[in-house]
Amino acid sequence: MSASPSIAPSDAPSAAQDFQVRSLAGTFAAEVVGLDLTKPLSDDDFKRVHRAHLDHHVLVFRDQQITPAQQVAFSRRFGPLQIHVQRKFQLAGQPEVLIVSNIKEKGEPIGLGDAGAFWHSDLSYKERPSLGSLLHAQILPAEGGDTLFADQHAAYEALPETLKATVSSLSAEHSYLAKYEELRARSPWRPALTQAQLDEVRPVVHPVVRTHPETGRKALFVSEHFTTRIVGLPEDEGQALLAQLFAHSTQPAFTYRHEWKPGDMVFWDNRSVLHLAAGTPDHLPRKLYRTTIEGDQPL
Ligand code: SIN
């Protein structure tokens, strides 16, 4: 197992905070109540949060009145941050923050409006996909706008033994371009990618079953958004297997549905879960700020 994220201690000792981690009933996710992320975390508090993140895969920090700079600072305690290939939706002055929003100003989208339209693990199309992502609610719609998470350890563990053995020796290709034209057809504001952007998102190959670098647990690591083919299998056989795995891995039994509340900051582990934006009515504004932490090369 690789080392845990660099738990860089803050310069000055910070006071411990009185907070609770509570399982969200009947799900793998947990809420963190009473922790103020605007304050630097003591090393002990950081360790508790880190442990809870590994155990629950999705943490919901309630009531966070946090600035983008503070979100960036907290995210960085887990590792270096990744800049999304869609530079157009970086927050001004804070390039590590990606704006996820359906809002248009003067006819122009202010954020990536269709982020999460298909199940995925963030940046799985990179050599080093994301360790985890943090999404902080800025403007929430009166209805809709939920985010779904699916536990890929549970999905792997529930596979029949023969299928587990089969998929454990396979690798698959992941590509940012897999659904890009389909998304452009739905959202014409999506720009054609420049050659420099295309070079940034060349397809990569990852194991179909990855081992979590910190817990050692196995998880399925394929998704309908970015996984294009199984390496070494005939195309029709590979596509049939992928379709079977996509359907299996996102069954309701493995999912948690997050209904956003004002001030929520949700931090998920991309090595353990897939996620999906469940959809927002077009006329209801929704805006969230995302930071994305770099992880290990999947093994
Ligand atoms: C994402 O996939 O990062 C966005 C999820 C959401 O908007 O709910």
Side-chain angles (χ1 to χ4, degrees):
M1 261 176 270
S2 78
S4 49
S6 59
I7 305 173
S10 40
D11 293 342
S14 313
Q17 298 189 51
D18 184 14
F19 68 96
Q20 292 183 318
V21 178
R22 299 181 194 145
S23 280
L24 287 160
T27 79
F28 49 88
E31 63 178 354
V32 181
V33 180
L35 185 67
D36 181 353
L37 293 178
T38 64
K39 298 183 180 150
L41 292 195
S42 71
D43 292 335
D44 282 349
D45 286 354
F46 182 85
K47 281 185 195 146
R48 264 185 82 195
V49 168
H50 180 211
R51 185 69 251 164
H53 190 245
L54 295 176
D55 290 344
H56 293 281
H57 320 314
V58 178
L59 292 182
V60 181
F61 297 90
R62 300 291 189 192
D63 304 316
Q64 299 301 320
Q65 309 308 317
I66 192 171
T67 65
Q70 287 165 332
Q71 178 174 345
V72 166
F74 175 64
S75 307
R76 276 215 178 106
R77 292 200 64 180
F78 291 85
L81 302 190
Q82 291 170 298
I83 305 272
H84 198 272
V85 66
Q86 296 285 355
R87 305 283 194 276
K88 181 177 165 142
F89 299 124
Q90 289 171 336
L91 184 66
Q94 206 74 70
E96 306 87 351
V97 173
L98 174 74
I99 304 172
V100 173
S101 181
N102 62 356
I103 298 173
K104 291 201 176 76
E105 285 173 1
K106 297 187 190 136
E108 286 292 313
I110 65 160
L112 201 54
D114 55 7
F118 299 96
W119 284 101
H120 66 289
S121 172
D122 284 328
L123 278 56
S124 75
Y125 50 83
K126 307 278 279 186
E127 292 283 351
R128 295 170 68 97
S130 167
L131 174 157
S133 306
L134 297 96
L135 207 50
H136 186 220
Q138 304 293 318
I139 299 173
L140 295 176
E143 66 183 81
D146 299 347
T147 308
L148 301 181
F149 296 92
D151 179 349
Q152 296 308 288
H153 299 299
Y156 168 74
E157 282 152 20
L159 287 175
E161 290 304 320
T162 47
L163 189 51
K164 248 189 216 169
T166 303
V167 295
S168 292
S169 63
L170 295 174
S171 300
E173 183 184 78
H174 295 239
S175 171
Y176 181 69
L177 301 181
K179 294 259 191 255
Y180 200 77
E181 288 312 315
E182 190 177 330
L183 285 170
R184 274 191 91 195
R186 287 194 215 172
S187 312
W189 47 262
R190 267 187 182 258
L193 296 174
T194 64
Q195 189 55 48
Q197 286 172 310
L198 291 170
D199 291 344
E200 225 180 279
V201 292
R202 292 223 177 92
V204 295
V205 169
H206 294 308
V208 169
V209 177
R210 72 179 294 183
T211 302
H212 193 290
E214 295 185 75
T215 65
R217 290 186 70 193
K218 291 188 173 183
L220 278 176
F221 194 62
V222 290
S223 74
E224 61 173 352
H225 194 158
F226 297 128
T227 312
T228 49
R229 67 187 177 91
I230 302 273
V231 176
L233 286 190
E235 183 63 13
D236 54 348
E237 206 181 310
Q239 291 308 326
L241 178 56
L242 282 176
Q244 184 183 359
L245 293 177
F246 297 160
H248 170 81
S249 61
T250 57
Q251 290 175 70
F254 308 133
T255 64
Y256 159 64
R257 183 179 199 105
H258 185 65
E259 295 174 20
W260 290 87
K261 292 189 181 150
D264 278 356
M265 161 86 88
V266 179
F267 177 22
W268 65 89
D269 190 331
N270 281 305
R271 304 162 298 184
S272 296
V273 297
L274 297 176
H275 62 284
L276 173 79
T280 306
D282 284 344
H283 65 287
L284 296 177
R286 180 178 189 262
K287 182 167 86 163
L288 305 101
Y289 287 162
R290 193 179 101 186
T291 40
T292 313
I293 305 157
E294 184 177 82
D296 295 311
Q297 186 167 355
L299 296 173

